[in-house]
Amino acid sequence: MSAACGCEHESGAEVEEVERPWWRDPGLLLPIFSGVAFGAGLVLEWSGLETPALVLFWIGLLLGAYTFVPGAIRNLVTKRKLGISLLMTISAVGAVILGFVEEAAALAFLYSIAEALEDKAMDRARGGLRALLKLVPETVTVLRDGAMVEVAAKNLVVGELMLVRPGERIATDGTVRSGRSNLDTSAITGESIPVEVAPGDAVSAGAINTAGVLEVETTAAGTDNSLTTIVELVEQAQAEKGDRARIADRIARPLVPGVMVLAALVGVIGSLLGDPETWITRALVVLVAASPCALAISVPLTVVAAIGAASRFGVVIKSGAAFERLGGIRHLAVDKTGTLTRNRPEVTGVVPADGFDRERVLALAAAVEQHSTHPLAAAIAAAAADQGAPAALDVSEEAGHGIGGTVEDQRVMVGSPRWIDAGPLKAEVERLESEGQTCVLVTVDDVLAGAIGVRDELRPEVPEVVQSLRAHGVEVSMLTGDNARTARALARIAGIDDVRAELRPEDKARMVAELSAGTPTAMIGDGINDAPALAGATVGIAMGATGSDAAIESADVAFTGHDLRLIPQALQHARRGGRIINQNIVLSLAIITVLLPLAITGVLGLAAVVLVHEIAEVVVILNGLRAARTGRHASEPLERNAHAPGQLGAARSRG
């Protein structure tokens, strides 16, 4: 648990502590022991044993207060930061001064256990981000004066010539100087189809060379490349987002100094006009009356209940602040590959040339492609699995071009349109590519047999989700590193109008930041290249089941499944939780507003003030527990006018 009782999360040892079982977690055990001591004290008090009861109340008070008082004081002294924990500290001190140790113990226990439960519910794993750098090999082979030399990747400088063999990762950014191959960039960009590279093409650190030998001239140092840039962007965005306070602390900022000034004025002015002892006592009662006990307890309790309920339908929300922001989302930016699409290429079209039929073209192509590990080859082989493919002999693969073999005494070649002339099928190939399909051509004894289109298909629920979001005030944009033609073709099917393609990770991060500055924006993605955008969005959402560690670490929310209908369901759930939080805030502030004048005038003493607070706490706790309900189905529409948590009816955007 953080020093400020969950209000300021600090990484490092704290994360390891949160991940411990509850019986080994001091942040949770202290509030529990505080509650045990307080409960035992009540039993002894009811039994007439006043002194032992008082001792137990003090023990409960000190244990509970230890979880938030040191952090509140430290934040006040070192950061000049006023939070809800400071006001709770002042209230507890005021109750003790007036001799109400039992009430102070109750306050310390309730506040500490509510915050401890919230911290426990908001377990965050931070190992994935730095794991990005493991994509860079420790050593790399470079060519120096015609000789091959193995050096540490971190020592690479601009202008060196790397030798990248099949199966090896590229150590830093560079430009291909010789050789042709296919690069698996799925770990970096999320794209399922390898990229063909030839001399003059740029390549990125972390990509895997799948076929031919490449000579790559480095354009970035080993410690300053696209992967290290992603890490820096994510850490910067997380630090900026981490500075934003929770709603309880935003309310406490003006409330703490206001209450302290009011109590001082009551004590000073009253002492000048009347009995000093009476007015100093009333000033202390004012401090307790202004204590937002109900607010301090109900907000984390509601968040814990709502986060627990969300996890039951496959949505993991990592923090209370993320939950509060989630309900306010009015714009959704989505990655294409692996998010909108299945990340599983499939054959979507076969165009035979004259003299061939569809089944024959597919069978011949599958015969040779089943000997390749290329994702396009796997898709073609899978498409012909039902009809069976003939055997192929003498199979050979040429990196960056295609594959060939002998099938039934005929030489069959399958390759890219850049390698095989499309001839009379050129118009059909262009049509397939305009629809977002990747094409391969098939020849039999050097005669064109047909064209096969392969595409990573949209998830079937995407059009429904996009339509539902747009109908209820949430605009959708596609951000992708894929080419513009493919992106626009899939966007038309999905019903997305705003398409931004051929983006680098820093481009995505910049665009999401621009969107978030004007409208609360969520970003959903699953690739390493999405990590900076996820971290910089108002709310980052990771496809947790298949997403990279970096994406999951950078996000505020993770889906454990693949169904995008979780998006409207999660927004609906967060908006409902937001309304409950707003109700509790209004009730808590109304109680303070009513109690203050009654405390100042002496109509209510401390006992009556504490009683009112305790009744209010019961009411808001029961109301907060309603957030645990998850009765709405994912396909039900969002509520257009629902308010985000902490907004009190007004949309809040990130500045």
Side-chain angles (χ1 to χ4, degrees), residues 497-558:
D497 298 326
D498 184 19
V499 181
R500 311 181 190 197
E502 300 177 8
L503 302 178
R504 296 177 62 83
E506 54 268 35
D507 298 327
K508 286 187 178 182
R510 174 177 52 79
M511 289 184 177
V512 168
E514 291 172 356
L515 290 171
S516 298
T519 305
T521 299
M523 170 71 190
I524 179 167
D526 74 329
I528 289 174
N529 67 321
D530 300 320
L534 291 173
T538 307
V539 176
I541 304 174
M543 296 293 285
T546 58
S548 69
D549 288 343
I552 296 170
E553 154 59 20
S554 306
D556 305 292
V557 178

Side-chain angles (χ1 to χ4, degrees), residues 81-356:
K81 189 173 182 180
L82 304 178
I84 194 73
S85 55
L86 178 60
L87 198 51
M88 298 301 289
T89 300
I90 295 171
S91 300
V93 171
V96 169
I97 291 174
L98 291 174
F100 291 87
V101 178
E102 177 182 344
E103 286 75 9
L107 182 152
F109 160 62
L110 290 172
Y111 182 59
S112 64
I113 193 65
E115 290 289 332
L117 288 173
E118 182 180 7
D119 276 354
K120 193 66 179 177
M122 291 147 206
D123 180 6
R124 303 193 68 163
R126 298 185 182 273
L129 181 59
R130 283 294 171 183
L132 275 180
L133 300 181
K134 295 180 181 178
L135 294 177
V136 175
E138 293 184 2
T139 61
V140 61
T141 301
V142 297
L143 298 175
R144 292 177 178 172
D145 299 325
M148 293 186 293
V149 181
E150 190 170 278
V151 300
K154 63 182 180 181
N155 294 331
L156 285 172
V157 296
V158 176
E160 295 209 71
L161 195 61
M162 297 185 294
L163 185 68
V164 186
R165 303 177 183 89
E168 293 182 343
R169 287 189 184 272
I170 296 175
T172 191
D173 302 337
T175 302
V176 177
R177 287 296 171 237
S178 70
R180 292 178 178 271
S181 185
N182 296 313
L183 297 185
D184 179 357
T185 62
S186 58
I188 311 299
T189 66
E191 294 298 328
S192 55
I193 299 176
V195 178
E196 297 179 2
V197 293
D201 291 338
V203 296
S204 299
I208 302 174
N209 180 19
T210 64
V213 177
L214 295 176
E215 292 183 5
V216 179
E217 182 180 345
T218 61
T219 57
T223 56
D224 184 20
N225 52 52
S226 53
L227 279 181
T228 59
T229 299
I230 290 176
V231 173
E232 292 169 1
L233 287 170
V234 171
E235 291 181 334
Q236 178 183 350
Q238 287 180 331
E240 292 173 353
K241 184 182 289 185
D243 291 336
R244 294 164 54 196
R246 292 282 311 279
I247 177 176
D249 281 330
R250 294 202 307 274
I251 293 175
R253 278 200 198 105
L255 191 59
V256 170
V259 168
M260 295 178 68
V261 170
L262 178 61
L265 290 175
V266 169
V268 173
I269 296 175
S271 298
L272 295 176
L273 301 177
D275 179 27
E277 183 178 351
T278 299
W279 285 99
I280 291 174
T281 300
R282 288 187 184 180
L284 292 174
V285 174
V286 165
L287 286 177
V288 178
S291 170
C293 302
L295 173 64
I297 295 167
S298 68
V299 172
L301 181 74
T302 303
V303 168
V304 168
I307 288 177
S311 67
R312 291 197 296 272
F313 61 80
V315 177
V316 179
I317 303 173
K318 294 185 180 179
S319 72
F323 175 76
E324 291 176 10
R325 296 193 299 267
L326 183 59
I329 294 304
R330 293 295 178 270
H331 199 117
L332 180 68
V334 292
D335 174 53
K336 180 183 73 67
T337 306
T339 304
L340 290 177
T341 66
R342 298 174 180 272
N343 204 20
R344 190 172 62 245
E346 298 175 353
V347 171
T348 50
V350 179
V351 181
D354 291 341
F356 295 88

Side-chain angles (χ1 to χ4, degrees), residues 344-347 365-366 369-385 454:
R344 190 172 62 245
E346 298 175 353
V347 171
E369 290 283 31
Q370 62 188 357
H371 295 275
S372 173
T373 58
H374 195 290
L376 292 181
I380 293 171
V454 180

